[in-house]
């Protein structure tokens, strides 16, 4: 962890690489293998000594290469960790981190409302293949989290803002609990980069799907692990490291493209937040029940305000409950096909609005009972609000669609 608490200032400092011909952008290093100037350097590299983070050189592209390393440094700066590692997807960041942290027989405590892929990893794959068991709890209930701790627990896992229910993880309390019981607190911060800094609040490891807000154009699948230097080096160990041996590293061209979008991440996040808040307020004024952390009626509004960086708002995602899946589909059909309000598609952080019915899409890995526990009703629509068009134009489109399907009270 660094002393500077401002993620944007840290990122500006980390972005110091010139291209090889003095270009203002860093060059893309396409090599998968790197030469050494002295023959005895190669054995040292294989011993985990003399790597780039130790003032030495690069070895082989599956570790990482200079372009990928540079993006990792910028993401470490974003989250305020010593090191960052870029992966081929958010899921590979999550799976390789958890497999690195847990031995067979160990246990994880996780929020019951999380991304569907992560839920399946914890609920199905890890117990079946690795004998790692997860207790799912209401992560906002610190007593329930505490009660789930056993002698086998190694990790507490949560999303800063839960998908799709948008509950806020009480990270300072979870961090305290983790410290008391010597557990590792792992936070998926995909929904709230810049808005909330889990490391400043005491988390140990922050994971990202870069596919969403950080990339911002829905054209790249990628992920990142922001952690201590020691943990990243462990993960790169030649015999026991999940990064080295499961091999989820990022392609350098992908790393370059993502690094081109990081400088305007702060602007984009502010605009997403502002647009989402505008829509949430308009819906509320018109008697539509909306779930958005920026509204005083949201159960975690106060906590959000206490732990967030206020200049980035309350995030770009909101949900509305249309009661039934049929009604939800009616609204989304109308919004996409009659008003061009947005797209019926999963994912988030795109410049256009994306909308999906969570229960039958991104949370379909959960059983009906698990969905009910997590608060995901069949008519729940997740709206990842974009910033194309004007705010007023988008509201008029939404208003017309709601009127058409008779959702507005006169
Ligand atoms: C999308 C998402 C993931 C998975 O990321 P991929 O890049 O699709 O592998 C993990 N966590 C959250 C919160 C997500 O939204």
């Amino acid at each position: 962890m660094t002393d500077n608490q401002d993620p944007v200032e840290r990122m500006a400092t980390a972005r110091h690489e010139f291209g090889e011909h003095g270009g203002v952008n860093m060059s893309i290093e396409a090599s998968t293998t790197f030469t050494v100037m002295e023959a005895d350097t190669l054995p040292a590299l294989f011993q985990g000594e003399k790597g780039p983070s130790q003032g030495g050189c690069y070895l082989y592209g599956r570790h990482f290469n200079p372009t990928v390393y540079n993006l990792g440094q910028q993401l470490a700066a974003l989250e305020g960790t010593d090191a960052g590692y870029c992966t081929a997807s958010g899921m590979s960041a999550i799976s390789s981190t958890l497999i690195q942290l847990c031995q067979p027989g160990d246990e994880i405590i996780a929020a019951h409302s999380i991304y569907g892929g992560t839920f399946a990893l914890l609920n199905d794959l890890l117990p079946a293949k690795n004998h790692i068991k997860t207790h799912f709890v209401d992560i906002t209930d610190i007593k329930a989290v505490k009660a789930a701790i056993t002698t086998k627990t190694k990790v507490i896992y949560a999303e800063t803002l839960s998908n799709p229910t948008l509950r806020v993880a009480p990270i300072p309390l979870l961090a305290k609990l983790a410290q008391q019981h010597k557990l590792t607190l792992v936070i998926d911060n995909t929904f709230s980069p810049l808005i909330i800094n889990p490391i400043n609040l005491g988390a140990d490891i922050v994971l990202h799907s870069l596919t969403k807000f950080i990339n911002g154009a829905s054209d790249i699948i990628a992920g990142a692990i922001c952690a201590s230097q020691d943990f990243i080096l462990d993960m790169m160990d030649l015999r026991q490291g999940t990064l080295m041996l499961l091999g989820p590293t990022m392609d350098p061209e992908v790393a370059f493209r993502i690094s081109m979008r990081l400088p305007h991440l702060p602007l984009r996040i502010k605009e997403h937040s502002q647009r989402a808040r505008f829509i949430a307020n308009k819906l509320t004024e018109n008697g539509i029940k909306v779930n958005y952390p920026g509204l005083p009626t949201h159960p975690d509004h106060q906590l959000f305000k206490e732990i967030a960086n206020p200049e980035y708002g309350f995030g770009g995602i909101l949900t509305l409950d249309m009661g039934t899946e049929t009604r939800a589909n009616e609204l989304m059909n109308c919004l996409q096909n009659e008003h061009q309000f947005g797209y019926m598609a999963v994912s988030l952080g795109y410049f256009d609005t994306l909308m999906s019915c969570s229960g039958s899409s991104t949370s379909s890995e959960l059983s009906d009972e698990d969905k009910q526990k997590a608060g995901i009703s069949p008519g729940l629509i997740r709206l990842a609000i974009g910033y194309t068009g004007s705010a007023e134009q988008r509201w008029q489109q939404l208003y017309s669609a709601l009127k058409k399907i008779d959702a507005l009270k006169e």
Side-chain angles (χ1 to χ4, degrees), residues 89-92 94 115 118 159 163 188 190-191 209-212 221-222 348:
S89 67
M91 279 316 300
S92 60
I94 297 166
Y115 179 70
T118 311
E159 294 170 1
N163 180 22
D188 178 338
T190 301
F191 276 34
S209 166
L210 304 179
T211 314
K212 314 295 169 54
I221 300 278
L348 47 118

Side-chain angles (χ1 to χ4, degrees), residues 223-298:
I225 303 160
C226 301
S228 69
Q229 184 77 261
D230 284 350
F231 183 67
I232 299 288
L233 286 175
D234 270 359
M235 291 187 83
M236 288 171 57
D237 185 85
L238 271 79
R239 288 191 184 79
Q240 297 275 334
T242 49
L243 293 176
M244 204 53 206
L245 299 174
L246 300 179
T249 198
M250 179 184 277
D251 184 275
E253 296 195 26
V254 166
F256 176 77
R257 283 161 64 199
I258 294 175
S259 82
M260 291 284 97
R261 289 113 188 245
L262 280 182
H264 47 67
L265 179 67
L267 304 176
R268 290 188 278 116
I269 292 286
K270 282 180 193 171
E271 194 60 23
H272 279 293
S273 287
Q274 225 161 54
R275 297 290 188 109
R277 192 175 195 177
F278 175 77
I279 295 282
N281 283 336
K282 286 287 189 189
L283 286 166
T284 307
E285 283 164 24
N286 283 273
I288 304 274
K289 218 179 126 208
V290 49
N291 177 27
Y292 182 63
L295 296 174
T297 47
H298 186 281

Side-chain angles (χ1 to χ4, degrees), residues 6 46 50 89 91 156 158 164 240 246 277 307 345 394:
D6 187 301
F46 272 92
K50 297 198 181 175
S89 67
M91 279 316 300
I156 301 178
Q240 297 275 334
L246 300 179
R277 192 175 195 177
I307 66 174
R394 295 305 185 192

